[in-house]
Amino acid sequence: MSDFQGKSVLVLGGSRGIGAAIVRRFASDGAKVVFTYNGSREAAEKLASETGTTAVPTDSGDRDAVITRVRESGPLDVLVVNAGFALFGDALDLDPDDVDRLIRVNVNAPYHASVEAAR
């Protein structure tokens, strides 16, 4: 990555793992970073405190919440869509509600976030 001093970055799904590494890197390069979390409040608050970033609860499975988060973030220099999850097992045995959520988080959220960021 290059110097991101003063750039505005939104990371969807940034509280743990790869997302947290992305947040740390942009913050260390001088970006103003806002990141979302859904189920890991303690990890998000700790990361925000350590990096001087802002953690905001947002369910990436909720289209309106994703669009609102992007809109409220103002003009963005970088949008990172890291939120996502996987389902494993026989398709005949998977819970249809879990499959619908997977589609909302992994497919719909990136689409709607990107469109809103482009506006």
Side-chain angles (χ1 to χ4, degrees):
M1 289 189 199
S2 62
D3 182 27
F4 285 91
Q5 190 67 41
K7 300 292 184 180
S8 177
V9 176
L10 174 62
V11 180
L12 299 180
S15 63
R16 298 175 292 146
I18 293 169
I22 293 167
V23 168
R24 282 188 175 91
R25 180 58 189 259
F26 276 115
S28 72
D29 282 352
K32 176 184 174 264
V33 181
V34 173
F35 68 93
T36 69
Y37 67 94
N38 189 31
S40 52
R41 180 179 177 182
E42 185 175 310
E45 289 174 351
K46 181 179 180 197
L47 178 63
S49 176
E50 291 172 355
T51 59
T53 59
T54 303
V56 290
T58 305
D59 180 356
S60 287
D62 179 339
R63 178 184 61 213
D64 292 334
V66 169
I67 291 169
T68 298
R69 177 58 49 221
V70 173
R71 185 177 296 140
E72 289 179 354
S73 296
L76 294 172
D77 295 296
V78 179
L79 170 66
V80 177
V81 182
N82 182 66
F85 71 97
L87 290 175
F88 300 99
D90 187 327
L92 298 174
D93 297 327
L94 294 176
D95 182 331
D97 290 335
D98 291 341
V99 174
D100 287 347
R101 179 156 178 76
L102 178 132
I103 299 296
R104 287 193 311 272
V105 172
N106 295 3
V107 177
N108 295 354
Y111 170 78
H112 292 293
S114 298
V115 168
E116 187 59 34
R119 292 185 198 279

